[in-house]
Short mmCIF file of all heavy atoms in Angstrom, two decimals:
data_model
loop_
_atom_site.label_atom_id
_atom_site.label_comp_id
_atom_site.label_asym_id
_atom_site.label_seq_id
_atom_site.Cartn_x
_atom_site.Cartn_y
_atom_site.Cartn_z
N MET X 1 -18.28 -5.10 11.31
CA MET X 1 -16.92 -5.68 11.32
C MET X 1 -16.86 -6.78 12.38
O MET X 1 -17.35 -6.61 13.49
CB MET X 1 -15.89 -4.59 11.61
CG MET X 1 -14.46 -5.12 11.55
SD MET X 1 -13.23 -3.81 11.53
CE MET X 1 -13.50 -2.99 13.10
N GLN X 2 -16.24 -7.85 12.01
CA GLN X 2 -16.09 -8.94 12.98
C GLN X 2 -15.15 -8.52 14.09
O GLN X 2 -14.30 -7.66 13.92
CB GLN X 2 -15.59 -10.20 12.28
CG GLN X 2 -14.16 -10.07 11.76
CD GLN X 2 -13.88 -11.06 10.63
OE1 GLN X 2 -14.45 -10.96 9.55
NE2 GLN X 2 -13.03 -12.01 10.88
N LYS X 3 -15.32 -9.18 15.24
CA LYS X 3 -14.53 -8.78 16.39
C LYS X 3 -13.04 -9.05 16.18
O LYS X 3 -12.20 -8.24 16.52
CB LYS X 3 -15.03 -9.52 17.63
CG LYS X 3 -14.77 -8.70 18.87
CD LYS X 3 -15.49 -9.27 20.07
CE LYS X 3 -15.23 -8.36 21.25
NZ LYS X 3 -14.70 -9.04 22.42
N LEU X 4 -12.74 -10.22 15.64
CA LEU X 4 -11.34 -10.54 15.39
C LEU X 4 -11.07 -10.55 13.89
O LEU X 4 -11.65 -11.33 13.15
CB LEU X 4 -11.00 -11.92 15.98
CG LEU X 4 -9.57 -12.42 15.69
CD1 LEU X 4 -8.54 -11.58 16.40
CD2 LEU X 4 -9.42 -13.87 16.07
N ASN X 5 -10.20 -9.66 13.48
CA ASN X 5 -9.81 -9.57 12.08
C ASN X 5 -8.60 -10.48 11.87
O ASN X 5 -7.45 -10.05 11.96
CB ASN X 5 -9.48 -8.11 11.73
CG ASN X 5 -9.28 -7.90 10.25
OD1 ASN X 5 -9.03 -8.85 9.51
ND2 ASN X 5 -9.39 -6.68 9.80
N LYS X 6 -8.93 -11.75 11.60
CA LYS X 6 -7.89 -12.77 11.52
C LYS X 6 -6.87 -12.45 10.43
O LYS X 6 -5.66 -12.61 10.61
CB LYS X 6 -8.55 -14.13 11.23
CG LYS X 6 -7.79 -15.29 11.81
CD LYS X 6 -8.61 -16.56 11.63
CE LYS X 6 -7.76 -17.77 11.94
NZ LYS X 6 -8.48 -19.02 11.65
N GLU X 7 -7.41 -11.99 9.31
CA GLU X 7 -6.54 -11.68 8.18
C GLU X 7 -5.51 -10.61 8.53
O GLU X 7 -4.33 -10.72 8.21
CB GLU X 7 -7.42 -11.19 7.03
CG GLU X 7 -6.91 -11.58 5.67
CD GLU X 7 -7.93 -11.22 4.61
OE1 GLU X 7 -9.01 -11.84 4.59
OE2 GLU X 7 -7.65 -10.31 3.84
N TRP X 8 -5.98 -9.57 9.21
CA TRP X 8 -5.06 -8.48 9.60
C TRP X 8 -3.99 -9.01 10.54
O TRP X 8 -2.81 -8.69 10.39
CB TRP X 8 -5.85 -7.33 10.25
CG TRP X 8 -4.99 -6.13 10.47
CD1 TRP X 8 -4.79 -5.10 9.60
CD2 TRP X 8 -4.18 -5.85 11.62
NE1 TRP X 8 -3.90 -4.20 10.17
CE2 TRP X 8 -3.52 -4.63 11.39
CE3 TRP X 8 -3.97 -6.51 12.84
CZ2 TRP X 8 -2.65 -4.05 12.32
CZ3 TRP X 8 -3.10 -5.95 13.76
CH2 TRP X 8 -2.45 -4.73 13.51
N HIS X 9 -4.41 -9.83 11.49
CA HIS X 9 -3.45 -10.36 12.45
C HIS X 9 -2.40 -11.23 11.76
O HIS X 9 -1.22 -11.20 12.13
CB HIS X 9 -4.18 -11.18 13.53
CG HIS X 9 -4.62 -10.33 14.67
ND1 HIS X 9 -3.82 -10.01 15.74
CD2 HIS X 9 -5.81 -9.70 14.91
CE1 HIS X 9 -4.49 -9.23 16.57
NE2 HIS X 9 -5.70 -9.03 16.10
N LEU X 10 -2.82 -12.01 10.79
CA LEU X 10 -1.87 -12.86 10.07
C LEU X 10 -0.84 -12.02 9.33
O LEU X 10 0.33 -12.38 9.25
CB LEU X 10 -2.61 -13.77 9.09
CG LEU X 10 -3.38 -14.93 9.73
CD1 LEU X 10 -4.20 -15.66 8.68
CD2 LEU X 10 -2.43 -15.90 10.42
N LYS X 11 -1.30 -10.89 8.83
CA LYS X 11 -0.40 -10.02 8.07
C LYS X 11 0.42 -9.11 8.97
O LYS X 11 1.42 -8.55 8.54
CB LYS X 11 -1.22 -9.14 7.10
CG LYS X 11 -1.66 -9.89 5.86
CD LYS X 11 -2.44 -8.96 4.96
CE LYS X 11 -3.15 -9.74 3.86
NZ LYS X 11 -4.22 -8.93 3.24
N HIS X 12 -0.02 -8.91 10.19
CA HIS X 12 0.66 -7.98 11.10
C HIS X 12 0.97 -8.63 12.44
O HIS X 12 0.37 -8.25 13.45
CB HIS X 12 -0.18 -6.72 11.32
CG HIS X 12 -0.49 -5.98 10.06
ND1 HIS X 12 -1.53 -6.33 9.23
CD2 HIS X 12 0.11 -4.92 9.49
CE1 HIS X 12 -1.54 -5.49 8.20
NE2 HIS X 12 -0.56 -4.63 8.33
N PRO X 13 1.87 -9.59 12.45
CA PRO X 13 2.22 -10.17 13.75
C PRO X 13 2.99 -9.17 14.60
O PRO X 13 3.78 -8.38 14.07
CB PRO X 13 3.09 -11.38 13.38
CG PRO X 13 3.64 -11.07 12.04
CD PRO X 13 2.67 -10.14 11.35
N MET X 14 2.74 -9.19 15.90
CA MET X 14 3.50 -8.33 16.81
C MET X 14 4.93 -8.86 16.86
O MET X 14 5.13 -10.04 17.07
CB MET X 14 2.85 -8.37 18.20
CG MET X 14 3.62 -7.64 19.28
SD MET X 14 3.60 -5.85 19.14
CE MET X 14 2.18 -5.44 20.16
N PRO X 15 5.93 -8.00 16.65
CA PRO X 15 7.32 -8.49 16.73
C PRO X 15 7.58 -9.13 18.10
O PRO X 15 7.09 -8.62 19.10
CB PRO X 15 8.15 -7.23 16.54
CG PRO X 15 7.25 -6.24 15.89
CD PRO X 15 5.86 -6.57 16.36
N PRO X 16 8.32 -10.25 18.12
CA PRO X 16 8.54 -10.96 19.39
C PRO X 16 9.15 -10.09 20.48
O PRO X 16 8.79 -10.21 21.64
CB PRO X 16 9.48 -12.09 19.02
CG PRO X 16 9.43 -12.20 17.53
CD PRO X 16 9.01 -10.86 17.00
N LYS X 17 10.11 -9.25 20.09
CA LYS X 17 10.71 -8.36 21.09
C LYS X 17 10.44 -6.92 20.70
O LYS X 17 11.35 -6.11 20.49
CB LYS X 17 12.22 -8.62 21.20
CG LYS X 17 12.53 -9.90 21.94
CD LYS X 17 14.01 -10.15 21.98
CE LYS X 17 14.30 -11.51 22.64
NZ LYS X 17 15.70 -11.91 22.47
N ALA X 18 9.17 -6.61 20.62
CA ALA X 18 8.75 -5.29 20.16
C ALA X 18 9.22 -4.19 21.10
O ALA X 18 9.14 -4.33 22.31
CB ALA X 18 7.24 -5.25 20.03
N THR X 19 9.70 -3.12 20.51
CA THR X 19 10.08 -1.95 21.30
C THR X 19 8.81 -1.17 21.63
O THR X 19 7.73 -1.45 21.08
CB THR X 19 11.02 -1.03 20.50
OG1 THR X 19 10.32 -0.56 19.34
CG2 THR X 19 12.28 -1.75 20.08
N PHE X 20 8.93 -0.19 22.49
CA PHE X 20 7.79 0.65 22.83
C PHE X 20 7.17 1.25 21.57
O PHE X 20 5.96 1.19 21.36
CB PHE X 20 8.22 1.75 23.81
CG PHE X 20 7.15 2.78 24.06
CD1 PHE X 20 6.09 2.49 24.90
CD2 PHE X 20 7.22 4.01 23.44
CE1 PHE X 20 5.09 3.43 25.11
CE2 PHE X 20 6.23 4.96 23.66
CZ PHE X 20 5.17 4.67 24.50
N GLU X 21 8.03 1.80 20.70
CA GLU X 21 7.53 2.43 19.47
C GLU X 21 6.81 1.43 18.58
O GLU X 21 5.79 1.75 17.97
CB GLU X 21 8.69 3.07 18.70
CG GLU X 21 9.16 4.40 19.25
CD GLU X 21 10.06 4.26 20.48
OE1 GLU X 21 10.52 3.13 20.77
OE2 GLU X 21 10.29 5.28 21.15
N GLN X 22 7.35 0.21 18.50
CA GLN X 22 6.72 -0.81 17.67
C GLN X 22 5.36 -1.21 18.22
O GLN X 22 4.41 -1.42 17.48
CB GLN X 22 7.62 -2.05 17.56
CG GLN X 22 8.79 -1.86 16.60
CD GLN X 22 9.73 -3.05 16.62
OE1 GLN X 22 10.07 -3.57 17.67
NE2 GLN X 22 10.14 -3.50 15.45
N ARG X 23 5.28 -1.30 19.54
CA ARG X 23 4.01 -1.66 20.16
C ARG X 23 2.97 -0.57 19.94
O ARG X 23 1.82 -0.84 19.64
CB ARG X 23 4.20 -1.91 21.66
CG ARG X 23 4.98 -3.18 21.94
CD ARG X 23 5.24 -3.33 23.42
NE ARG X 23 4.00 -3.53 24.17
CZ ARG X 23 3.78 -3.11 25.42
NH1 ARG X 23 4.72 -2.47 26.06
NH2 ARG X 23 2.64 -3.35 26.01
N VAL X 24 3.41 0.69 20.10
CA VAL X 24 2.49 1.81 19.88
C VAL X 24 1.97 1.77 18.45
O VAL X 24 0.76 1.83 18.20
CB VAL X 24 3.18 3.16 20.16
CG1 VAL X 24 2.33 4.33 19.68
CG2 VAL X 24 3.48 3.31 21.65
N LYS X 25 2.89 1.62 17.49
CA LYS X 25 2.53 1.60 16.09
C LYS X 25 1.57 0.44 15.80
O LYS X 25 0.57 0.59 15.11
CB LYS X 25 3.80 1.46 15.24
CG LYS X 25 3.61 1.77 13.78
CD LYS X 25 4.96 1.85 13.06
CE LYS X 25 4.74 1.96 11.56
NZ LYS X 25 4.80 0.66 10.89
N TRP X 26 1.90 -0.71 16.35
CA TRP X 26 1.07 -1.90 16.14
C TRP X 26 -0.34 -1.66 16.68
O TRP X 26 -1.33 -1.92 15.99
CB TRP X 26 1.73 -3.11 16.82
CG TRP X 26 1.07 -4.41 16.49
CD1 TRP X 26 1.41 -5.27 15.50
CD2 TRP X 26 -0.06 -5.02 17.17
NE1 TRP X 26 0.57 -6.37 15.51
CE2 TRP X 26 -0.33 -6.23 16.53
CE3 TRP X 26 -0.85 -4.63 18.27
CZ2 TRP X 26 -1.37 -7.08 16.93
CZ3 TRP X 26 -1.88 -5.46 18.67
CH2 TRP X 26 -2.13 -6.68 18.00
N HIS X 27 -0.43 -1.16 17.88
CA HIS X 27 -1.75 -0.97 18.50
C HIS X 27 -2.56 0.12 17.79
O HIS X 27 -3.78 -0.01 17.67
CB HIS X 27 -1.61 -0.65 19.99
CG HIS X 27 -1.47 -1.89 20.82
ND1 HIS X 27 -2.51 -2.75 21.06
CD2 HIS X 27 -0.39 -2.44 21.43
CE1 HIS X 27 -2.09 -3.77 21.80
NE2 HIS X 27 -0.80 -3.60 22.03
N LEU X 28 -1.88 1.18 17.33
CA LEU X 28 -2.61 2.24 16.63
C LEU X 28 -3.19 1.71 15.33
O LEU X 28 -4.31 2.07 14.95
CB LEU X 28 -1.69 3.44 16.35
CG LEU X 28 -1.29 4.27 17.58
CD1 LEU X 28 -0.39 5.42 17.16
CD2 LEU X 28 -2.51 4.80 18.31
N GLU X 29 -2.45 0.83 14.66
CA GLU X 29 -2.98 0.23 13.44
C GLU X 29 -4.04 -0.79 13.79
O GLU X 29 -5.07 -0.90 13.13
CB GLU X 29 -1.85 -0.41 12.63
CG GLU X 29 -1.07 0.60 11.82
CD GLU X 29 0.10 -0.03 11.09
OE1 GLU X 29 -0.01 -1.20 10.68
OE2 GLU X 29 1.12 0.65 10.94
N HIS X 30 -3.77 -1.54 14.83
CA HIS X 30 -4.68 -2.60 15.24
C HIS X 30 -6.10 -2.09 15.52
O HIS X 30 -7.06 -2.65 15.02
CB HIS X 30 -4.10 -3.32 16.46
CG HIS X 30 -4.98 -4.39 16.99
ND1 HIS X 30 -5.65 -4.29 18.18
CD2 HIS X 30 -5.31 -5.60 16.47
CE1 HIS X 30 -6.34 -5.40 18.38
NE2 HIS X 30 -6.16 -6.22 17.36
N VAL X 31 -6.20 -1.01 16.31
CA VAL X 31 -7.54 -0.52 16.66
C VAL X 31 -8.36 -0.10 15.44
O VAL X 31 -9.58 -0.07 15.50
CB VAL X 31 -7.52 0.66 17.67
CG1 VAL X 31 -7.07 0.18 19.03
CG2 VAL X 31 -6.67 1.80 17.19
N GLN X 32 -7.65 0.23 14.37
CA GLN X 32 -8.37 0.67 13.17
C GLN X 32 -8.89 -0.51 12.35
O GLN X 32 -9.74 -0.34 11.48
CB GLN X 32 -7.46 1.53 12.29
CG GLN X 32 -7.12 2.86 12.95
CD GLN X 32 -6.18 3.66 12.07
OE1 GLN X 32 -6.45 3.90 10.91
NE2 GLN X 32 -5.06 4.06 12.63
N HIS X 33 -8.34 -1.68 12.59
CA HIS X 33 -8.70 -2.83 11.76
C HIS X 33 -9.35 -3.95 12.53
O HIS X 33 -9.93 -4.86 11.94
CB HIS X 33 -7.44 -3.37 11.06
CG HIS X 33 -6.81 -2.38 10.13
ND1 HIS X 33 -7.27 -2.17 8.86
CD2 HIS X 33 -5.78 -1.52 10.31
CE1 HIS X 33 -6.54 -1.23 8.28
NE2 HIS X 33 -5.63 -0.81 9.14
N CYS X 34 -9.22 -3.94 13.81
CA CYS X 34 -9.66 -5.08 14.60
C CYS X 34 -10.09 -4.62 15.99
O CYS X 34 -9.56 -3.66 16.52
CB CYS X 34 -8.51 -6.07 14.68
SG CYS X 34 -8.89 -7.56 15.57
N ALA X 35 -11.05 -5.34 16.55
CA ALA X 35 -11.57 -4.96 17.87
C ALA X 35 -11.44 -6.10 18.88
O ALA X 35 -12.20 -6.19 19.82
CB ALA X 35 -13.03 -4.52 17.74
N CYS X 36 -10.47 -6.97 18.65
CA CYS X 36 -10.36 -8.13 19.54
C CYS X 36 -9.87 -7.73 20.92
O CYS X 36 -10.19 -8.38 21.91
CB CYS X 36 -9.48 -9.21 18.93
SG CYS X 36 -7.72 -8.87 18.92
N ARG X 37 -9.07 -6.69 21.00
CA ARG X 37 -8.65 -6.20 22.32
C ARG X 37 -8.27 -4.72 22.24
O ARG X 37 -7.79 -4.26 21.20
CB ARG X 37 -7.49 -7.02 22.88
CG ARG X 37 -6.21 -7.00 22.04
CD ARG X 37 -5.26 -8.08 22.57
NE ARG X 37 -4.12 -8.25 21.69
CZ ARG X 37 -2.88 -7.89 22.02
NH1 ARG X 37 -2.64 -7.33 23.16
NH2 ARG X 37 -1.89 -8.12 21.20
N PRO X 38 -8.52 -3.99 23.32
CA PRO X 38 -8.19 -2.56 23.32
C PRO X 38 -6.70 -2.34 23.55
O PRO X 38 -5.97 -3.28 23.89
CB PRO X 38 -9.01 -2.00 24.48
CG PRO X 38 -9.14 -3.15 25.42
CD PRO X 38 -9.11 -4.41 24.59
N ILE X 39 -6.25 -1.10 23.39
CA ILE X 39 -4.86 -0.75 23.71
C ILE X 39 -4.70 -0.91 25.22
O ILE X 39 -5.51 -0.40 25.98
CB ILE X 39 -4.55 0.70 23.28
CG1 ILE X 39 -4.74 0.86 21.76
CG2 ILE X 39 -3.11 1.08 23.68
CD1 ILE X 39 -4.51 2.28 21.26
N PRO X 40 -3.69 -1.66 25.66
CA PRO X 40 -3.52 -1.86 27.10
C PRO X 40 -3.41 -0.53 27.85
O PRO X 40 -2.75 0.39 27.38
CB PRO X 40 -2.21 -2.66 27.20
CG PRO X 40 -2.00 -3.24 25.85
CD PRO X 40 -2.64 -2.30 24.87
N ALA X 41 -4.05 -0.47 29.02
CA ALA X 41 -4.06 0.77 29.80
C ALA X 41 -2.65 1.24 30.10
O ALA X 41 -2.35 2.43 30.08
CB ALA X 41 -4.83 0.56 31.09
N LYS X 42 -1.76 0.29 30.37
CA LYS X 42 -0.39 0.64 30.71
C LYS X 42 0.34 1.29 29.53
O LYS X 42 1.11 2.23 29.70
CB LYS X 42 0.36 -0.62 31.15
CG LYS X 42 1.49 -0.29 32.09
CD LYS X 42 2.08 -1.53 32.72
CE LYS X 42 3.27 -1.11 33.58
NZ LYS X 42 4.03 -2.25 34.08
N LEU X 43 0.04 0.77 28.33
CA LEU X 43 0.67 1.34 27.14
C LEU X 43 0.11 2.74 26.89
O LEU X 43 0.85 3.67 26.56
CB LEU X 43 0.41 0.43 25.93
CG LEU X 43 1.16 0.83 24.65
CD1 LEU X 43 2.66 0.65 24.82
CD2 LEU X 43 0.69 -0.02 23.46
N LEU X 44 -1.20 2.89 27.07
CA LEU X 44 -1.83 4.21 26.91
C LEU X 44 -1.19 5.23 27.85
O LEU X 44 -0.95 6.37 27.48
CB LEU X 44 -3.33 4.12 27.20
CG LEU X 44 -4.24 3.68 26.06
CD1 LEU X 44 -5.67 3.56 26.56
CD2 LEU X 44 -4.17 4.65 24.90
N GLU X 45 -0.95 4.77 29.07
CA GLU X 45 -0.34 5.64 30.08
C GLU X 45 1.06 6.09 29.63
O GLU X 45 1.40 7.26 29.72
CB GLU X 45 -0.23 4.85 31.38
CG GLU X 45 -0.36 5.67 32.63
CD GLU X 45 -0.30 4.78 33.85
OE1 GLU X 45 -1.32 4.10 34.13
OE2 GLU X 45 0.77 4.72 34.48
N GLN X 46 1.85 5.12 29.15
CA GLN X 46 3.20 5.44 28.68
C GLN X 46 3.14 6.38 27.48
O GLN X 46 3.99 7.25 27.32
CB GLN X 46 3.93 4.15 28.30
CG GLN X 46 4.27 3.29 29.50
CD GLN X 46 4.88 1.96 29.07
OE1 GLN X 46 4.39 1.30 28.16
NE2 GLN X 46 5.94 1.55 29.74
N MET X 47 2.14 6.19 26.62
CA MET X 47 1.99 7.06 25.46
C MET X 47 1.70 8.49 25.91
O MET X 47 2.23 9.45 25.36
CB MET X 47 0.85 6.56 24.55
CG MET X 47 1.24 5.33 23.76
SD MET X 47 -0.18 4.50 23.05
CE MET X 47 -0.68 5.69 21.81
N ARG X 48 0.84 8.61 26.93
CA ARG X 48 0.52 9.93 27.46
C ARG X 48 1.76 10.60 28.02
O ARG X 48 2.01 11.77 27.80
CB ARG X 48 -0.56 9.82 28.54
CG ARG X 48 -1.94 10.18 28.04
CD ARG X 48 -2.87 10.56 29.17
NE ARG X 48 -2.91 9.55 30.20
CZ ARG X 48 -3.78 8.54 30.24
NH1 ARG X 48 -4.69 8.43 29.30
NH2 ARG X 48 -3.76 7.65 31.20
N GLU X 49 2.55 9.82 28.77
CA GLU X 49 3.76 10.35 29.37
C GLU X 49 4.74 10.88 28.31
O GLU X 49 5.45 11.84 28.53
CB GLU X 49 4.46 9.27 30.19
CG GLU X 49 3.82 9.06 31.56
CD GLU X 49 4.36 7.82 32.26
OE1 GLU X 49 5.38 7.26 31.80
OE2 GLU X 49 3.75 7.43 33.27
N LYS X 50 4.78 10.19 27.18
CA LYS X 50 5.69 10.59 26.11
C LYS X 50 5.06 11.59 25.16
O LYS X 50 5.67 11.96 24.15
CB LYS X 50 6.16 9.34 25.35
CG LYS X 50 7.10 8.49 26.19
CD LYS X 50 7.48 7.22 25.45
CE LYS X 50 8.17 6.22 26.35
NZ LYS X 50 9.61 6.43 26.51
N GLY X 51 3.83 11.97 25.43
CA GLY X 51 3.17 12.97 24.62
C GLY X 51 2.69 12.47 23.27
O GLY X 51 2.53 13.25 22.33
N ILE X 52 2.46 11.14 23.17
CA ILE X 52 1.94 10.59 21.92
C ILE X 52 0.41 10.66 21.97
O ILE X 52 -0.21 10.16 22.89
CB ILE X 52 2.40 9.12 21.75
CG1 ILE X 52 3.93 9.06 21.70
CG2 ILE X 52 1.77 8.52 20.48
CD1 ILE X 52 4.47 7.64 21.76
N LYS X 53 -0.14 11.33 20.99
CA LYS X 53 -1.59 11.50 20.98
C LYS X 53 -2.27 10.41 20.15
O LYS X 53 -1.74 9.96 19.14
CB LYS X 53 -1.96 12.87 20.42
CG LYS X 53 -1.59 13.99 21.36
CD LYS X 53 -2.36 15.27 21.02
CE LYS X 53 -1.92 16.42 21.88
NZ LYS X 53 -0.67 17.05 21.45
N LEU X 54 -3.45 10.03 20.59
CA LEU X 54 -4.24 9.07 19.84
C LEU X 54 -4.86 9.79 18.65
O LEU X 54 -5.23 10.94 18.77
CB LEU X 54 -5.34 8.48 20.72
CG LEU X 54 -4.87 7.49 21.78
CD1 LEU X 54 -5.98 7.19 22.74
CD2 LEU X 54 -4.41 6.20 21.12
N PRO X 55 -4.96 9.09 17.53
CA PRO X 55 -5.57 9.73 16.36
C PRO X 55 -7.06 10.01 16.59
O PRO X 55 -7.68 9.33 17.36
CB PRO X 55 -5.36 8.73 15.24
CG PRO X 55 -4.98 7.44 15.87
CD PRO X 55 -4.53 7.72 17.26
ZN1 ZN H 101 -7.07 -7.95 16.94
#
């Protein structure tokens, strides 16, 4: 798989004012389709605090 899945990104733009839930959802889908960047450590931390488990 290529590092940047351009097609996926074009189809799934991050909402400009994404909420926490939207960012989590976006990143969880993103890691499955693209490897251009990991889930930010800060977001992972917030997910842990809220008890959201990684698939
Ligand atoms: Zn990407």
Side-chain angles (χ1 to χ4, degrees):
M1 184 168 62
Q2 67 203 67
K3 208 169 182 233
L4 176 68
N5 189 340
K6 210 173 168 185
E7 214 172 292
W8 189 90
H9 272 274
L10 286 173
K11 282 181 192 162
H12 301 83
M14 173 71 92
K17 285 178 185 169
T19 62
F20 171 77
E21 282 79 13
Q22 283 175 316
R23 290 175 66 212
V24 169
K25 194 170 172 265
W26 188 93
H27 276 288
L28 289 180
E29 279 177 33
H30 178 250
V31 290
Q32 293 178 53
H33 298 278
C34 182
C36 74
R37 61 192 171 110
I39 299 178
K42 207 170 176 188
L43 187 66
L44 275 176
E45 212 177 284
Q46 291 174 315
M47 285 165 69
R48 259 201 307 268
E49 281 170 12
K50 290 176 192 276
I52 299 170
K53 290 199 184 79
L54 287 169

